[in-house]
Each structure stands twice: as C-alpha cells, then as structure tokens.
Amino acid sequence: MRIGVMGTGAMAEALGGAWVRAGHEVFVGGRDGAAARALAGRIGAAGHGTPAAAAGYGEVALLAVPAGVAPELAREHAGALAGRTVVDCANALDPGPGGVMLTTGPGESVAGLIAAAAPGARVVKAFNLAHASMWDRPADCFGEVPPAVPFCADDAEAAGHVGELITGMGWSPMPAGGLDRAAYVEATAAFVIGVWWAGGSPRLAFPEPPRAREGVA
Ligand SMILES: NC(=O)c1ccc[n+]([C@@H]2O[C@H](COP(=O)([O-])OP(=O)(O)OC[C@H]3O[C@@H](n4cnc5c(N)ncnc54)[C@H](OP(=O)(O)O)[C@@H]3O)[C@@H](O)[C@H]2O)c1
C-alpha cells in the first residue's frame, strides 16, 4: 500500500518504519522539510515532502500530530484526504493534578473531530494504545499470541486497509466498533497511561482463562 505520513515525530517514525519493513511504500510529510528528509532517510521511505503532499500520496494517510492539531490539519487538507483512509492515532491527554485526563468533551473523540473536519475522509481510530517504542519490536517478542491493535471504523474498505497494516506488522487487528466508539478507545488510553505512570501494569486487570486465549468458546 502507499501511505502518506503527516508528521515527523515519534509515532511517524515508529509506524512509518514498521510499515516500510512490512513492504509498504511510505512518504513522510512534515512542516519542517529537513526533519521530513531526515526521517525518510532513517526509515527508508519512498519519498518526503510537505504534509499536503503526504495527504495526497496514497490509499492511506496517517495523522501523527498532537491531538489538538489533528482536526485542524485534517480541515486544512480535507480536499486531499477525501476518499482516503485516514488513520488517527492521537491521544488528547493532559497530565492533570490527579492523573492523566482527557481533554475532549464528554462523548467527544479526536477521531470524530477529524471526521467532522474532513467529511470525505474515511477515518479510522487505531494505534493509540501502545507506546511508540512498541512498534519497533518484532511481534514475537511479546509471546506466542500477537498483541492486538483495537481500531474503530465506519468504512469497510478503510477497516480492511488498517487490518492489513496491523497484520503486516505481526500484530492482530481487534475491531472495536464504529467511529462512534472511538471515544472509548481514547478513554482507555487515559486509563492505561494513568496506571503506567503510577507504576502499575494495566494488562493485569484483564485476565483470561487459557481456553479463551486459544480462541475456544
Ligand atoms: N509517542 C507515543 O508513544 C504515542 C503513543 C500513542 C499515540 N500517540 C499520539 O500520536 C500523536 C503523535 O505523537 P508523537 O509522540 O509522534 O508526537 P511528537 O513526537 O511530538 O511529533 C509530533 C509531530 O507533529 C508535528 N506537528 C505539530 N504541530 C503541527 C502542525 N500544526 N502542522 C503540522 N505538523 C505539526 C510536529 O512537527 P514539528 O517537529 O515541526 O513540531 C511533529 O512532527 C499524538 O497525537 C499522540 O497523542 C503517541
């Protein structure tokens, strides 16, 4: 697949690099041209340029920018993003005095704000739950069962694109409903990161008997 990555930070590098290794054609678009060129060189991307060029590059565009920026960037490039699968990995979080807090309003999600800002884009929420450093690792380092990437999508073809990206990285796609459920996946990030920051291990809160893990009902 051809993928335009908008952003040159940690997630652009981690996901863009993983997709290059999986055999996809990745284009890095950054507002800082030197950073885009440097990142493209590091990950072996097919090209580099502006965020506008990345928006219009492929079947898929990744918004790898802060949550407060993503809807505005999507609005700015709504024309180029129309008809494409637009992956939103953003977490709208603030440290907050009592722990990590969502900055979105009740029931609101970054993914929903992006979809409203770029109505022709086929937005998919995905990749927001694991830290950037996880996408660099070989999937088998997590054990016999590949880790899952929950995603929310309204469009079947866009869901298929993201499923293919996830599978190609050796992870497992976890459909988590339509875009109206993205707020739950984003709130899950607030919970998980809050527990990590407090020194805990959130995965221990979701035990499964071995039979369920093997996929036996
Ligand atoms: N890091 C993680 O572990 C992680 C995990 C899950 C989800 N996320 C989410 O992934 C997204 C990206 O995170 P990150 O860690 O990659 O952030 P980052 O390293 O800070 O990179 C952010 C990128 O966004 C660009 N940017 C900022 N404002 C922009 C604008 N107005 N127009 C165009 N580009 C702009 C920055 O460009 P400049 O360098 O020019 O400022 C930079 O390339 C965030 O929404 C975050 O919540 C991050």
Side-chain angles (χ1 to χ4, degrees), residues 124-126 129 147-156 158-160 162-164 166-167 171-182 185:
V124 181
K125 183 88 212 178
L129 288 186
V149 180
F151 68 92
C152 299
D154 287 340
D155 183 277
V162 170
E164 194 181 327
I166 295 168
T167 307
W171 291 53
S172 127
M174 180 183 277
L179 217 57
D180 59 347
R181 298 188 67 82
V185 178

Side-chain angles (χ1 to χ4, degrees), residues 128-206:
N128 66 313
L129 288 186
H131 189 265
S133 59
M134 295 298 129
W135 312 117
D136 284 337
R137 298 174 192 227
D140 60 7
C141 82
F142 298 104
E144 281 172 28
V145 181
V149 180
F151 68 92
C152 299
D154 287 340
D155 183 277
E157 197 183 359
H161 285 154
V162 170
E164 194 181 327
L165 291 178
I166 295 168
T167 307
M169 297 161 69
W171 291 53
S172 127
M174 180 183 277
L179 217 57
D180 59 347
R181 298 188 67 82
Y184 301 131
V185 178
E186 294 181 16
T188 302
F191 161 70
V192 164
I193 293 168
V195 172
W196 277 333
W197 284 9
S201 182
R203 71 201 303 262
L204 299 178
F206 304 100

Side-chain angles (χ1 to χ4, degrees), residues 6 50-53 55-56 63 71-82 117-118 121:
M6 301 169 77
T50 61
L63 284 165
E72 208 37 60
L73 199 60
R75 188 186 317 282
E76 195 183 326
H77 300 292
L81 293 174

Side-chain angles (χ1 to χ4, degrees), residues 7-11 31-32 64-67 69 73 89-91 127-128 130-132:
T8 57
M11 287 294 273
R31 62 179 176 176
D32 175 344
V65 297
V69 169
L73 199 60
C89 65
N91 284 318
F127 302 107
N128 66 313
H131 189 265

Side-chain angles (χ1 to χ4, degrees), residues 39-112:
L39 176 56
R42 283 200 299 282
I43 66 174
H48 58 87
T50 61
Y57 181 74
E59 299 98 304
V60 177
L62 168 71
L63 284 165
V65 297
V69 169
E72 208 37 60
L73 199 60
R75 188 186 317 282
E76 195 183 326
H77 300 292
L81 293 174
R84 300 181 204 275
T85 296
V86 175
V87 180
D88 160 39
C89 65
N91 284 318
L93 301 175
D94 255 356
V100 179
M101 300 292 291
L102 286 173
T103 57
T104 41
E108 198 177 63
S109 68
V110 183

